[in-house]
Amino acid sequence: MLQKFTNSFFARTPISKLDWQLIDENLSQSSELDLLNGNEDQMFHCQENILNATVNHPLNLKYPLPEIYIHSFLKALINKVEKYPCEIHYQVLEKYTNLVCKNLSDIESGYRTFIIDESTSISLKENISIISDGTTGLCTWQAAFHLAEWCIANRERISGMAVIELGSGAGLVGLTCYKMCQPRFITLTDFHPKVIETLRYNLKNNEVITSRSGSLIQVQALDWMEFSRNGNDLEADLIVASDIVYEEELIPFLVGTLVKLLQPKRNVNKLPSAIIACTERNEETLERFLSELGSRPPRGRHNTIKKLTTVKVTDLFVSSFAKEKKIFQQNERQKKKILHGRRGSYYIRTDELTR
């Protein structure tokens, strides 16, 4: 009954966005039964069940959420319980009191777990702050949720492919692709040393090994500036990236990297393609990226840039996985071809989400 709430909780959905109506319904039913029975047994068990589905869940013991998030959750839960004529569960009070006594402002990181199905989950260690250690790559950004959904919706297309991810960050897209899509090989790349360290940690923490079901995965530091000038050691059938179009000065080197990766391979009929998921924050930066990409097609081919629309995700993105919904849908009326060609790079604009 509380599984959906558990999924949202471990994905660190904002406290105000959790399904508190479900909690209210459980508390209300328990309170009514206690009034009939003349005791508080049902309310005690209801609060205990909520704790077991969240704070006391085995996942939170293995991959603990940031204590500041737990503090906010318990405070909201106490506010709900106080509406009913019963005692607050002693464990709720004890855990909340312990957190109140701590200096939570010093906490920099914690886990975030995405439960995809009964047998598959992805746990990421992320920083709480958007910018830390001089980089924005230590937390998961909006477009990554959409791109991870795209990968699952298109798993048959990705199966057997060599995949390169640019700007892998904490690793959500790469791990989703690895665990759900059976690529032949996947290379996760980023530049900042702390991001590379965190990425490798997250792969190890998710029990990713070098070989699994015929699929290989590796992490590699990649400097777009250097690679766009001299790089030729990476090849892929598919390039994926999310929220990497943010700094205008880097765009020429990003596009140069894409151009090299999209070069036709010898003796291979199928051309490489790229899926770039972007959250539009600055229209000028995005237009610069599209313009630069359109003006620099790989040798011997043209870029075809297709704008795909997305279905806005209204709750935890992984809940869509279980329903097998296609999150990205091409809308012919909104499709925008910048340059015509056989195949090429795809640009995806994602909805702005608050997470």
Side-chain angles (χ1 to χ4, degrees), residues 259-281:
V259 166
K260 286 212 167 188
L261 292 173
L262 289 168
Q263 294 290 354
K265 300 177 186 176
R266 292 181 180 180
N267 303 319
V268 177
N269 293 326
K270 189 174 183 180
L271 297 173
S273 59
I275 303 293
I276 314 295
C278 303
T279 303
E280 185 172 350
R281 297 183 179 88

Side-chain angles (χ1 to χ4, degrees), residues 197-213:
E197 178 187 329
T198 301
L199 187 55
R200 288 195 169 118
Y201 175 88
N202 282 336
L203 261 64
K204 182 179 179 181
N205 214 36
N206 281 271
E207 300 176 350
V208 169
I209 54 179
T210 54
S211 179
R212 176 181 180 274
S213 303

Side-chain angles (χ1 to χ4, degrees), residues 284-304:
E284 291 181 2
T285 302
L286 200 51
E287 287 300 324
R288 168 81 187 277
F289 169 66
L290 291 173
S291 175
E292 187 93 17
L293 187 62
S295 67
R296 296 174 61 187
R299 186 176 64 253
R301 64 187 288 192
H302 296 289
N303 281 334
T304 301

